Amino acid sequence: MTNERNTNWFDETGHLTREGFDALIDRDDRAVEAEVRAHLTACADCREHLAELQVTVNLLGALPDPVPARSFQIEVPKPAPAAPPPIIAGSPGIGGRLRSVLMPALPALRAATLGVFLLFVAATAGDQWSGRNGNESTRDSAPAASTTLSTEAATLPAETESLEADGDTSANRSAVTDAAASDQEEAAEPALGGGAESTESEAAADSAAFDSAPAAMPQEAQVSATGPAGLQQEAASATVAPATPLPPSPTATPVAESGDDGATQTDGWSGWQVAQAVLLALLGLLLVTLLWLRWSNRQKL
Amino acid sequence: MFRRGRTERVRIDASCDDAVLVAAAKEGDANAFNFVVQRYERSVYGLAYRMMGNAADAEDIAQDTFIRAWQALRSYEDGSLKGWLLRIATNRCYDRLRATSRHPVGTLTNDEDDSEIPVVDDSESSDPVLFTERLDLSEAIQAALDTLPPDQRLAVILFDVMQHTYEEAAVIAGVPPGTIKSRVSRGRERLRQQIMSRPDARELIPSQRRFSKDEVGSAGFPEQ
């Protein structure tokens, strides 16, 4: 064992090999030291080589430790503080989804609100205009009826007076009674089944008959003037009856209900009013939506 | 800082051994890992400095070493923590040397300015003359080291400079111990030639003389 190592530590020239010098320096095999020491004592070259090598190794071992100019500690980023939960987090909810849908359309909503408001104003103006026209037409038709009736009423005294002045006879009484009865029947027919126009035309015919009556009255008055006073009242009541009770008058009632506007204004809403109601509801909805969006934006900020 | 284990509570500080610090660091305790850094940063930096020959590269390599160690801490299982860190630093040095050889920006010879001189942490530095001599000597030795092939340089640095055993150096270098021994032997011989061929290097060691017959024992060989 020792001989094998010695052969490794000495070369063929008899000097120490590199492994031999390393073994001496590292002192890894003291068993060969005596032989090596003997060689070093005799060989100046190996002695000088070993000295240089030992100095080199000593210098390497004596090198100062380089000191870093800074530390190399790592800096692990601290976890960021928990961010405040967003207003719309995870499932946004109905309000969040609605807001996300409506917010992009906010300018359109504002324009729509303005448009609906203008439409509402227009509908209101239209309602007012149509209402004024309706009142005017009602007022125009009602005085016409009353005028007709007053005309009838105005003619009756003259007729009554002529009757009173001329006296009463049975023939005249029956003729007047028949005429009054026929007038009453003719006036009642339109009220039962006739239209407003026929009623008006017949009323006008009656009025014309009454208007022309004074001219014919002298002849009739001469006959009827011989009649009794009771007959005068009977005849008067027979002729005045169609004109005295104005509201329930068979000739006045159809006139009052025959107006187009008058019938709808009292029983239901006009088209303008329906439009007003719809526009007002839509305007309120839009305003509430705009106010809610503004409030939610402030809450979000 | 306390860390609750299975049976006891362990306080993490600089006095804890490597296993405790590594266990805590594996759980994400950066402070525990920084205790490891404090413990071994001079060794890592020293290896990098001797391998690269300048402070700038040494700092980059040391920082990169600890960052990679932190990232790969879970892959460390057992063995010498210092050896594991020096192994990472060695690989970083090889990477940097390969990059430098492909894109040389300077030379590995000793042409550094004064800023590259490492701070000497030695009580003998209180003597200005000795301090200056040792600084000059250090420059000369570093210049000689820079001329070695990286494998030999690493072996010499690990074994002669950092005083690791062959086995430890083999683990760090990732080669068998015999390979380290061979590289150390060749490296020493080249260093001897480098240092002793320079007159200024020989002058830097006035107290060292060649061995004589009577000095063998005083040089460290035990007397029989």
Side-chain angles (χ1 to χ4, degrees):
Chain A
M1 183 73 180
T2 302
N3 292 334
E4 291 177 358
R5 293 217 175 173
N6 286 342
T7 56
N8 290 332
W9 290 358
F10 291 98
D11 59 14
E12 59 274 9
T13 62
H15 294 289
L16 287 171
T17 62
R18 197 176 61 216
E19 290 78 10
F21 288 116
D22 290 335
L24 287 172
I25 292 173
D26 298 336
R27 288 174 273 179
D28 62 348
D29 194 343
R30 298 176 184 178
V32 298
E33 186 179 346
E35 184 180 0
V36 172
R37 285 175 61 89
H39 176 77
L40 289 174
T41 302
C43 181
D45 290 341
C46 287
R47 191 167 61 243
E48 181 179 356
H49 189 117
L50 179 62
E52 292 177 354
L53 195 60
Q54 184 66 58
V55 167
T56 300
V57 171
N58 289 344
L59 287 175
L60 288 172
L63 281 175
D65 291 334
V67 178
R70 62 183 178 89
S71 176
F72 304 110
Q73 295 185 6
I74 61 172
E75 294 181 0
V76 179
K78 296 180 180 178
I87 294 177
I88 303 174
S91 60
I94 297 176
R97 285 196 294 268
L98 187 61
R99 181 167 50 245
S100 63
V101 171
L102 291 178
M103 279 306 293
L106 186 59
L109 281 176
R110 289 173 176 162
T113 303
L114 180 61
V116 170
F117 175 74
L118 293 176
L119 286 174
F120 175 75
V121 170
T124 303
D127 183 41
Q128 293 295 327
W129 177 79
S130 63
R132 185 165 52 248
N133 284 351
N135 291 336
E136 288 175 355
S137 61
T138 303
R139 283 194 301 269
D140 291 343
S141 59
S146 62
T147 303
T148 303
L149 293 175
S150 63
T151 304
E152 292 176 354
T155 57
L156 287 176
E159 185 179 2
T160 305
E161 289 174 1
S162 62
L163 287 174
E164 290 175 349
D166 293 340
D168 187 16
T169 62
S170 60
N172 288 340
R173 185 174 59 237
S174 61
V176 171
T177 303
D178 292 340
S182 63
D183 289 343
Q184 191 171 7
E185 288 175 1
E186 289 174 0
E189 283 178 357
L192 294 176
E197 293 178 357
S198 61
T199 303
E200 286 179 347
S201 60
E202 288 173 1
D206 290 342
S207 174
F210 276 108
D211 290 343
S212 58
M217 279 302 291
Q219 296 176 355
E220 293 178 358
Q222 290 176 358
V223 176
S224 61
T226 57
L231 287 179
Q232 292 178 10
Q233 292 179 351
E234 192 175 341
S237 63
T239 54
V240 169
T244 302
L246 281 178
S249 169
T251 56
T253 301
V255 173
E257 294 178 355
S258 63
D260 293 336
D261 295 333
T264 53
Q265 282 171 357
T266 54
D267 295 340
W269 286 8
S270 66
W272 288 114
Q273 288 173 332
V274 171
Q276 273 183 289
V278 171
L279 289 173
L280 186 61
L282 187 58
L283 184 62
L285 179 63
L286 288 170
L287 286 175
V288 168
T289 303
L290 288 175
L291 290 174
W292 175 73
L293 284 176
R294 187 174 180 180
W295 172 83
S296 62
N297 283 338
R298 286 184 178 178
Q299 291 293 109
K300 191 176 181 179
L301 294 176
Chain B
M1 179 192 318
F2 292 92
R3 186 160 298 279
R4 184 177 295 280
R6 287 184 178 178
T7 58
E8 61 180 356
R9 215 175 177 191
V10 179
R11 188 177 191 275
I12 301 298
D13 56 18
S15 64
C16 293
D17 58 15
D18 289 351
V20 174
L21 294 177
V22 168
K26 281 184 175 180
E27 295 178 3
D29 190 343
N31 290 327
F33 184 77
N34 280 332
F35 287 131
V36 174
V37 174
Q38 289 178 358
R39 186 172 295 176
Y40 296 115
E41 63 184 355
R42 289 187 63 169
S43 297
V44 171
Y45 177 78
L47 173 64
Y49 182 90
R50 295 303 174 197
M51 284 293 291
M52 304 306 298
N54 65 87
D57 286 344
E59 287 188 0
D60 291 346
I61 289 172
Q63 186 69 78
D64 190 30
T65 296
F66 288 113
I67 291 175
R68 287 174 181 258
W70 169 255
Q71 293 171 343
L73 195 59
R74 293 189 178 278
S75 65
Y76 170 76
E77 295 180 353
D78 54 3
S80 171
L81 179 60
K82 181 181 179 181
W84 184 65
L85 292 172
L86 292 178
R87 176 71 186 275
I88 297 174
T90 298
N91 291 332
R92 301 280 73 75
C93 289
Y94 280 138
D95 291 343
R96 183 65 64 93
L97 290 171
R98 277 193 291 267
T100 304
S101 64
R102 283 194 296 266
H103 307 285
V105 294
T107 176
L108 291 177
T109 57
N110 183 26
D111 56 355
E112 300 102 14
D113 55 15
D114 292 343
S115 63
E116 298 294 340
I117 298 175
V119 177
V120 178
D121 183 18
D122 197 325
S123 59
E124 296 181 12
S125 61
S126 57
D127 184 350
V129 177
L130 184 58
F131 178 75
T132 305
E133 288 179 353
R134 294 199 63 174
L135 280 181
D136 293 340
L137 187 60
S138 296
E139 290 183 37
I141 295 172
Q142 183 64 51
L145 281 172
D146 292 341
T147 63
L148 293 179
D151 291 343
Q152 295 179 18
R153 193 188 317 167
L154 175 65
V156 169
I157 290 171
L158 291 174
F159 187 77
D160 286 333
V161 177
M162 303 183 73
Q163 307 292 316
H164 286 283
T165 65
Y166 282 125
E167 287 73 20
E168 292 172 349
V171 170
I172 294 171
V175 295
T179 303
I180 288 292
K181 195 171 184 179
S182 174
R183 291 175 181 175
V184 168
S185 179
R186 291 197 297 271
R188 282 174 175 173
E189 181 59 29
R190 293 187 65 163
L191 284 175
R192 183 192 66 81
Q193 295 172 2
Q194 288 281 330
I195 292 174
M196 296 307 157
S197 65
R198 296 174 56 170
D200 56 341
R202 297 179 71 92
E203 293 175 356
L204 288 174
I205 47 175
S207 60
Q208 299 288 341
R209 295 188 297 273
R210 295 171 184 173
F211 288 107
S212 63
K213 179 182 177 181
D214 299 332
E215 291 173 334
V216 172
S218 62
F221 294 100
E223 295 291 344
Q224 295 292 323

